[in-house]
Amino acid sequence: MRDFPDMAMQLDAHRAEHPRTREDRLPTAFQWKDPATIPPRAWLYGRHLIRKQVSVTVAPGGVGKSSLTICEALAMASGRDLLGDWTAKNLKVWIYNLEDEREELERRIIGAMQHHAVSPHEIEGRLFVDTGRERTLSTAIQTRNGISIIKPEIENLAREIETREIDVLVIDPFVSSHQVSENDNGAIDLVAKEWARLADHCNCAIELVHHTRKTNGETATTESARGATALLGAARSGRVLNKMTDEMKADAGVQDDPATYFAVTRDKANLAPVGARVWRRMASVELANGDSVGVAEAWHWPDTFDGITVKELLAVQKAVDGKNPRYSDQAGEGWAGCIVADVLGLDVIADRKRIKRIIETWIKNGALVKVKVKCDDRKERPCLAVGEWASE
């Protein structure tokens, strides 16, 4: 307590030497405004990227996060809806990839342009690409004396963002943009907030791409991000990528497709409602030099009755009528699903789950009914018969 008078004297001296400006005076009285006069939030891409804020994308290795951000950058730079997400127009995007060499980035970007039919003139002067192989990036360093933000690095980024009028900066991956312990919450908090200050100062959106820790096969969330939780705390939007499981692929009827399917879930949202899960597919694109690259594209979970009309239902009913096919899918060729597959042109193995859902729906709405029928072994087993006939 006896130190307080000395501290007060020092504070008074400091105030006398450095008088506060109007902006420095605290506390500030609240003044009501007509809400119609408050500018709306400046969303740039979907409900994930917003001016003056940091957003985070989290994913395990090899899922497709870099390919996803490349396609999104092309969407923003071209002003086109390439993946089903809304984008503001006339945006300038800077991809700063800290791992790959330039030629690899060129393969991926040109492959994505080729796949999505984006012409060079659509992004001319709007897409900027740099690599850590040519120019390293380190915003902070940790020594025995503590954490230091490398101000010249931050100032250089700010200068380039303002000079080029960059709207969106993508840092991929975040872990390569600093030299502090990623498990030190205090250190990561300082680094993350420095990125937030840069976004605010430059009136741009910053996307930090980050890895998950090992999840042992469990579905990841943004909280599965590797290292300290402070990174997610500084972000105003966080999303996670999860590869489609084998069981899901079977359910969707794509288990024979070698492509990677992954879900994008925005589960950390401070400024907008949490987003619904959307799906992406990694298409394989062949380049003229013989190389093949993966390109993210929009993919929608198939609806059970996609392409199936009342006419097809009537055809199934006619095929089932009088045959009493077995209800159980363990009945081999006697299973009703074999008839459904034959009529609808489905694969009885690959589309098995879908066929079962179709049958259950038709039973539920009365188009088919379960009946007990004596089989060859004189045992009664559930079979299917026509219920209410469909009308064309």
Side-chain angles (χ1 to χ4, degrees), residues 132-191:
R133 297 282 189 95
E134 298 172 357
R135 207 302 194 168
T136 59
L137 175 66
S138 180
T139 59
I141 190 168
Q142 186 170 17
T143 66
R144 66 180 65 182
N145 297 320
I147 312 299
S148 296
I149 298 296
I150 304 177
K151 290 295 183 181
E153 193 79 273
I154 299 295
E155 292 167 359
N156 181 62
L157 285 172
R159 182 167 54 252
E160 295 301 327
I161 291 171
E162 291 174 336
T163 299
R164 302 287 187 175
E165 298 180 325
I166 300 296
D167 298 291
V168 178
L169 170 63
V170 180
I171 300 296
D172 182 12
F174 167 69
V175 68
S176 297
S177 70
H178 61 80
Q179 298 179 64
V180 307
S181 171
E182 66 177 359
N183 294 310
D184 186 329
N185 251 313
I188 294 299
D189 183 61
L190 284 174
V191 175

Side-chain angles (χ1 to χ4, degrees), residues 327-342:
Y327 168 74
S328 173
D329 65 336
Q330 302 299 313
E333 294 181 357
W335 178 41
C338 295
I339 295 176
V340 174
D342 184 58

